[in-house]
Amino acid sequence: KNEVEQSPQNLTAQEGEFITINCSYSVGISALHWLQQHPGGGIVSLFMLSSGKKKHGRLIATINIQEKHSSLHITASHPRDSAVYICAVRSDRFAWEYGNKLVFGAGTILRVKS
Amino acid sequence: NAGVMQNPRHLVRRRGQEARLRCSPMKGHSHVYWYRQLPEEGLKFMVYLQKENIIDESGMPKERFSAEFPKEGPSILRIQQVVRGDSAAYFCASSPRSVGTEAFFGQGTRLTVV
């Protein structure tokens, strides 16, 4: 079993829909990242969370440390949101020593149709 | 402040040749991480370096792969005697200190071995 599991693997939505992508992890963590990757493109950091909730524009990320679960929400989705969304965690084991070494989920492929 | 710069963006090598991938971290960042994304797979950690030191190379294949981050100049990921299975996207990330910081990724180098 992977340490970081994402669901769904693939998601197709109509423009304007509210989207939720889920991430569950099995290790103790010091931080969780949500990343975005466009086809053939680089990786952009959307959020870094260690507790609670963060919002940036139409994107909202939440984390529940006790349940080891995080969600990424996109409100009023748009075709330009089409990308792969990746959840990554930084283990709290030897965090000071191993820095920002990340363990990644497999990614969720999102396609928003107009 | 330029972001994390990787070059080349695309690299084609014949089997048996050497591949050199470069990563210049963001200004002021002294921690560099290399990750590999195989086709249809998620990102995997390869190596974590600080200036002149390899901190964690637990994700590096035992043979043919090496990495360095010299006092001056970019970090280099070197793959000797490349094989078709080395074809992947290689991403570099940097951070200013070991913990508690955002992950800043480069655009990646897409290596194709023919």
Side-chain angles (χ1 to χ4, degrees), chain A residues 30 33 35 37-48 54 84 86 90 94-107 109, chain B residues 9-10 31 33 35 37 41-45 48 50 55-56 58 89 91 94-108 110:
Chain A
S30 55
H33 297 255
L35 309 168
Q37 184 178 24
H38 284 281
I43 296 170
V44 174
S45 177
L46 298 175
F47 294 103
M48 183 180 74
K54 285 189 177 180
V84 178
I86 303 168
R90 185 171 76 234
F94 311 114
W96 63 271
E97 183 178 349
Y98 290 105
N100 274 330
K101 173 182 173 181
L102 297 176
V103 178
F104 298 84
I109 302 171
Chain B
R9 290 288 307 275
H10 299 274
H31 300 253
Y33 308 79
Y35 298 94
Q37 187 176 40
E41 293 189 21
L43 287 148
K44 295 283 193 301
F45 168 81
Y48 164 34
Q50 295 177 22
I55 307 302
D56 179 357
S58 58
F91 288 93
S94 73
S95 67
R97 61 180 186 271
S98 60
V99 293
T101 57
E102 294 272 353
F104 297 91
F105 285 83
Q107 290 290 305
R110 278 148 183 89

Side-chain angles (χ1 to χ4, degrees), chain B residues 45-83:
Chain B
F45 168 81
M46 299 183 75
V47 62
Y48 164 34
L49 310 106
Q50 295 177 22
K51 285 283 186 182
E52 301 185 277
N53 285 303
I54 297 174
I55 307 302
D56 179 357
E57 55 182 348
S58 58
M60 289 278 270
K62 294 287 183 265
E63 297 176 348
R64 302 185 297 107
F65 284 71
S66 63
E68 62 176 9
F69 188 16
K71 188 176 179 182
E72 301 291 337
S75 176
I76 306 285
L77 179 68
R78 182 181 176 209
I79 311 172
Q80 294 178 288
Q81 299 176 314
V82 295
V83 300

